[in-house]
Amino acid sequence: MSSSTKRSRMAYDGVVVAAPITVPYQRFSSEPAHGWAGAALRALARETALGPRDLDGFSFSSFSAGPDTAVGLVQHLGLMPRWLDHVPTGGASGVMALRRAARAVQCGDAAIVACVAADTNQIDSFRHTLATFSRFSQDAVYPYGFGGPNATFALITQAYMHEHGVTRADFGRICLAQRANAGSNPLALQRNPLDLETYLAARPIADPVHLFDCVMPCAGAEAFVVTTPEIAAARGWPAARIMATIERHNAYPDDLVQRRGGWAMDVDELWAMAGIGPGDIDCLQAYDDYPVIVAMQLEDLGFCPPGTIARFLRETHFGIDGTLPLNTNGGQLSAGQAGAAGGYQNLTEGLRQILHCPLGAQVPGARRAAISGFGLVNYDRGVCTAAAVIEAL
Amino acid sequence: MTTPRNPLPPPAPRDPLARPQLHPVAPGARSRAMQAMAARAAQGRFVLQACTVCGTATYPPRDACPRCWGTLAWHDQPTGGRVLANTVIRVSTDPYFRDRLPWHMGSIQLDAGPVVLAHLARGLEPGARVTMRLMLDRGGNAALFALPSDAAHPPQPEQGATIMSADPQGRTFVVPVAGATVLVSDARQPVGRALVGALAAAGARLVVAGLPGPAPMRDAHDPVLGLPGVQPLPLDVTDPVSVAETISRIGGPLDIVINTARHVRAGGVSHDGNLLGHHRALEVSAMGLARLAQATAPILAGRPSGAFLDVLSVKALAGDAGHAGFAAAEAARLSLLQSFRHEMRSTGVRVLEVFTGPTDDADHQALPPPKVAPARLAAAVLDALAQGREQTCVGEVAREAMRRWLDDPALFARETQP
């Protein structure tokens, strides 16, 4: 991007995010995605006393609502919004829904936007989701053994381990810490303690990816509300302001194997806009489909200097009471991956921590959270990246 | 009837109540651009799209150049590459691959530019030089396969074929002859006879040599029909009863059917025309193929590497006033073969075609060279099976005709008139 087309960005004044909602996940569900979206809005109504006609903005993300898009959901759920968005960026959809809705509220196009991600996981529906995920994966990825994302991330993981001298035990530190964090989250699907021996001895799925490097697909829904500080205050909703966001798609297409994400292109802008640095945040909710992607985010978002990730993984304590509390609900690796809701749970968890209403244990005195998203393995790598920094009012 | 000199080995005892083994095929849905790649893979070409404006080669197949948005065209490309990363898939949700785990795949940087995901031969690690093959998978779709390569001496096609059939993963992309039961439909003609010998030499478990009647005395002393592992049986593809009887006498599994039956006679439509000859040509070439396909399709579908290979004349591509009936019969045969291929996609049975020009036999005595020697045609059939190649043209005449037909079918149809 030439510097002449790059303009300074407007702060997110006059916008807040509130009302984090998590509908308890289920391993399998015969309920369609629409039902999970309905459950999210019912929970939102209990939390905020909002009804169908109170929302004037609606943003929706799902892999399993087909043939419907956000349009179908509007009529299905009795909404009458004057602003509508469908965000198809999967694991990056939470941050992307937030930053789009924020500008709509800031500019007056909408006043109360409900952002919802919902996905079901019927028996065998995961296979169908994979088989029709994208044209490139249908043509050029899944015919090669149909390992799903496990195989794609196995290739990325192998190259990353080789480049950075990261070992399986180093990745294990991420997975073990998140499992320990999940211990206090009653909604996490996997809460049994995990030790390094068990992690290392797990069965291989697609070498070098082993069982505990993989998320468990499940059904679930997540939601939050974007509105003005005035409305939040009048209705008595605890809320947070948005300090900064970034978004990037198809970054570094000439990297032969994905070795970094779009965060690396935009990290300076993120922290400059926020006016703080990585050391000033109280928890990081990073997208964790595989530990290698968590490691990439730690480096690309500036939590460790370039080239030092192996040491950083060995020396950092990622627990809720640690030096860098990471994925404090257990993340997808322990709580489960509910489709597109997996790209929302990092945002709702970060918001809960700074609003001091966590599902599990509280990060002591948390006020600021960094949230990072990563979505859509269209061919050989994740295409969409995003990040946000939020702060409790 | 010919007296069998090599009695058929008894088929393995079968439990009639046993549940048959299902043979799911590789996942099938593809974009139109990927289908275009498969159409070229079928001809044994290694192609990628390149931009008509900036020349950049691209993959996966697209509908516009990602560098300049120019239009794309298919071009033959260098087959070299280097392994970037590899994995062994040990868990899959797809029924086809679940039956065949573990599965080796990886990413390859092609010398042509793009990074591709590919099936890997055993033992390939990051940094290894590879030679790429563009194959068709069991669903009939284009698939990239990486074979080990010495940068200075890329393997010959035969070497690659050996590696493919020795590799458990590679075997699913080819038609293994070793250990297979093969039926050749007309072993009385020189081409079919050469094939029977070549198949036996290649290690087929059993070659059933189909012989249209009546059986001459010389059959009893024929050295090819007397080879170990060769079983002569009467087979007249114009007679449904004969076809059914032959299939039932094979009794056991049948892996490969090779149809060489045809009836070549000169003559035009209105001039020098012999309607009986035309009719006979259609009965043998077209209806014979249909009878054989109908009778053997269910058996082939139950086999792990079932294949139906048809040897046909390149005259199938356009009319020929000198051999009007024969050209028409061969055209009908090609059409039936294409329909049969579509039918068999869902079963994983490969339907292959080998085009030939005039063969060096009694049918083409009046023609000057070049003509295809039966032994050469037999070798080409075995190569087509070993490579899993859907379309093969043997000899100068067939290759040249196919090239001209692909280039401009309307012009080709005008030019082929004598």
Side-chain angles (χ1 to χ4, degrees), chain A residues 126-127 130 135-136 138-147 151 154-155 158 203-208 254 256-257 379-380, chain B residues 29-31 33-34 59 61 63 85-95 97 105 109 115-119 126 143-144:
Chain A
F126 185 63
R127 181 168 69 98
L130 290 184
R135 171 169 150 176
F136 281 1
Q138 165 197 295
D139 279 357
V141 183
Y142 294 137
Y144 294 88
F146 209 90
L155 301 176
Q158 185 197 50
R203 66 187 167 98
I205 302 297
D207 312 9
D254 295 327
L256 298 177
V257 178
Y379 173 43
D380 61 341
Chain B
R30 295 293 187 280
S31 68
M34 199 69 199
Y59 185 87
D63 301 328
N86 70 302
T87 186
V88 183
I89 296 170
R90 299 175 191 279
V91 177
S92 174
T93 53
D94 180 78
F97 289 110
M105 60 88 71
Q109 183 178 23
V115 171
V116 301
L117 300 185
H119 305 287
L144 293 160

Side-chain angles (χ1 to χ4, degrees), chain A residues 233-251:
Chain A
R235 294 188 175 245
W237 303 335
R241 72 184 186 96
I242 303 162
M243 300 177 78
T245 68
I246 52 170
E247 170 174 338
R248 183 66 64 177
H249 305 272
N250 198 26

